[in-house]
């Protein structure tokens, strides 16, 4: 049992997106532990248990009751039209409402084939639609530029909580699986940061298949510590698209990212010039069912 101190003054709203088909799984236990710990901290919690909800994870024509183009499916255009006209599927609109409600979003899942289970990818594909999660314009601008550190979900925190079969060493800088930060880059940078959220370093339980019940208290305690600092830990300092570090082609300016390769070039380094502050965006586009 996590014994986190109560901090009523810091009452926040947390969405836990849980992705595992077995309620008695280690992932299920982590989800339950998060709910207990967050409640003990005084926070409000909503869980989206995608398998238990039977969430439709396939993005297809069934998502649109009224098509702009009945002949050929352009998913991005149809999803934006559905958002604008209030004709989205109820399950999609409900998940968007939860995201807008939340101050923090936790994604709980096992690593399956070097990424999240397809269920989570499908949730992202169907819920993070154009006009809501991408293709978002700043007021008065004609082209969509609010992404990577700006966007409708600005001001929210996000954290991945992941379990892996492979041991910790496999995910180090020279480990055979590749660095965990690199494996999670598409999700953390390409989805969570892209939509404006501040992304915390992940919480990971490795070598999960070799664990037994005796390992649980230490895991729960470690996770409880991370949850206790969910709203105070420093986020990963991904560079903002519009912060001044990229040129007009969104290519990192010369001299920045020196000594780094791969996804790490997109993290601010000590001594880099300060970035422009993100533009606050009024939440003008509320999803409707
Ligand atoms: C399709 C697929 C692809 C995969 N791809 C990868 C991959 O690319 N890389 C990789 O590293 N791994 C991979 N794996 C392994 C996968 O990541 C692990 O099996 C998973 O993380 C374990 O989490 P779980 O919740 O399913 O664990 P479970 O099987 O539910 O539990 C694992 C162990 O945790 C113990 N445990 C301890 N405390 C508790 C508790 N309180 N409640 C429940 N159990 C507890 C259990 O005794 C059990 O032995 C893959 C697995 C699958 C099925």
């Amino acid at each position: 049992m996590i014994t986190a101190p109560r901090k009523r003054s810091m009452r926040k709203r947390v969405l836990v997106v849980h992705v595992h088909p077995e309620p008695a799984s280690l992932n299920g236990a982590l989800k339950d532990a998060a709910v207990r710990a967050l409640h003990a901290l005084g926070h409000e919690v909503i869980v989206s248990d995608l398998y238990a909800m039977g969430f439709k994870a396939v993005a297809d024509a069934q998502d649109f009751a009224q098509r702009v183009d009945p002949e050929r499916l352009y998913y991005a255009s149809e999803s934006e039209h559905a958002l604008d006209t209030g004709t989205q599927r109820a399950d999609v609109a409900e998940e968007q409402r939860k995201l807008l409600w939340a101050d923090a979003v936790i994604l709980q899942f096992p690593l399956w084939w070097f990424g999240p289970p397809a269920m989570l990818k499908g949730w992202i594909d169907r819920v993070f639609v154009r006009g809501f999660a991408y293709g978002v314009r700043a007021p008065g601008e004609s082209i969509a530029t609010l992404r990577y550190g700006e966007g409708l979900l600005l001001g929210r925190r996000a954290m991945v909580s992941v379990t892996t079969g492979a041991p910790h060493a496999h995910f180090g800088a020279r480990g055979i699986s590749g660095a965990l930060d690199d494996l999670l880059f598409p999700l953390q940078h390409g989805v969570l940061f892209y939509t404006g959220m501040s992304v915390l370093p992940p919480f990971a339980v490795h070598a999960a298949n070799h664990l037994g019940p005796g390992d649980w208290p230490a895991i729960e305690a470690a996770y409880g510590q991370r949850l206790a600092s969910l709203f105070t830990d420093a986020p990963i300092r991904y560079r903002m698209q519009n912060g001044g570090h990229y040129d007009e082609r969104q290519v990192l300016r010369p001299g920045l990212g020196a000594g780094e390769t791969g996804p790490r070039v997109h993290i601010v380094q000590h001594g880099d010039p300060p970035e422009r502050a993100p533009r606050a965006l009024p939440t003008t586009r509320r999803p409707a069912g």
Side-chain angles (χ1 to χ4, degrees):
M1 176 79 182
I2 296 171
T3 51
R6 267 180 109 75
K7 291 184 183 171
R8 282 262 167 226
S9 59
M10 279 276 291
R11 187 176 176 82
K12 299 279 189 183
R13 301 192 284 204
V14 184
L15 170 62
V16 179
V17 181
H18 173 58
V19 194
H20 198 290
E22 171 53 57
S25 64
L26 177 61
N27 273 264
L30 286 163
K31 177 261 294 175
D32 292 341
V35 173
R36 283 196 301 273
L38 292 165
H39 279 155
L41 288 157
H43 302 319
E44 291 177 67
V45 185
I46 291 179
V47 176
S48 280
D49 185 340
L50 300 188
Y51 278 96
M53 292 156 62
F55 190 80
K56 175 179 175 290
V58 178
D60 61 17
Q62 305 304 318
D63 288 336
F64 311 112
Q66 299 169 13
R67 292 268 292 272
V68 177
D69 183 348
E71 302 297 325
R72 185 196 191 288
L73 177 63
Y74 292 94
Y75 196 90
S77 318
E78 295 291 353
S79 61
E80 184 170 36
H81 175 71
L83 174 70
D84 287 343
T85 55
T87 59
Q88 294 189 107
R89 293 292 178 198
D91 60 344
V92 169
E94 182 59 20
E95 294 309 298
Q96 292 168 349
R97 266 193 285 272
K98 293 176 191 173
L99 285 162
L100 292 173
W101 168 88
D103 297 305
V105 179
I106 295 173
L107 303 180
Q108 176 67 58
F109 62 87
L111 194 72
W112 280 3
W113 286 112
F114 287 73
M119 178 65 97
L120 181 59
K121 182 60 166 54
W123 179 81
I124 295 165
D125 289 344
R126 293 188 62 234
V127 174
F128 285 52
V129 300
R130 191 161 84 187
F132 177 79
Y134 69 100
V136 180
R137 297 178 187 86
E141 286 193 353
S142 57
I143 54 167
T145 58
L146 295 177
R147 57 181 173 232
Y148 295 114
E150 295 180 311
L152 207 59
L153 298 179
L154 180 70
R156 289 156 185 80
R157 292 185 153 229
M159 185 172 83
V160 165
S161 174
V162 64
T163 65
T164 75
H168 183 260
H170 286 207
F171 299 97
R174 294 169 65 81
I176 192 164
S177 292
L180 187 61
D181 285 344
D182 293 352
L183 297 187
L184 295 177
F185 187 75
L187 181 58
Q188 296 189 149
H189 185 262
V191 177
L192 301 173
F193 184 67
Y194 186 102
T195 57
M197 292 191 251
S198 298
V199 185
L200 299 178
F203 175 75
V205 177
H206 296 293
N209 300 331
H210 297 283
L211 298 174
D215 297 305
W216 176 249
I219 295 168
E220 188 181 26
Y223 194 28
Q225 280 192 352
R226 287 298 309 275
L227 293 167
S229 53
L230 185 63
F231 291 98
T232 51
D233 279 347
I236 301 169
R237 288 204 59 196
Y238 291 126
R239 303 178 192 276
M240 292 171 49
Q241 172 183 284
N242 301 316
H245 289 187
Y246 297 94
D247 65 18
E248 65 286 350
R249 300 166 302 150
Q250 324 304 346
V251 173
L252 196 58
R253 294 186 187 283
L256 297 175
E260 293 290 358
T261 55
R264 288 196 62 82
V265 302
H266 300 294
I267 295 177
V268 174
Q269 294 179 349
H270 183 69
D272 283 349
E275 295 180 289
R276 281 195 292 276
R279 288 164 287 181
L281 181 67
T283 306
T284 52
R285 303 187 73 157
R286 290 274 173 187

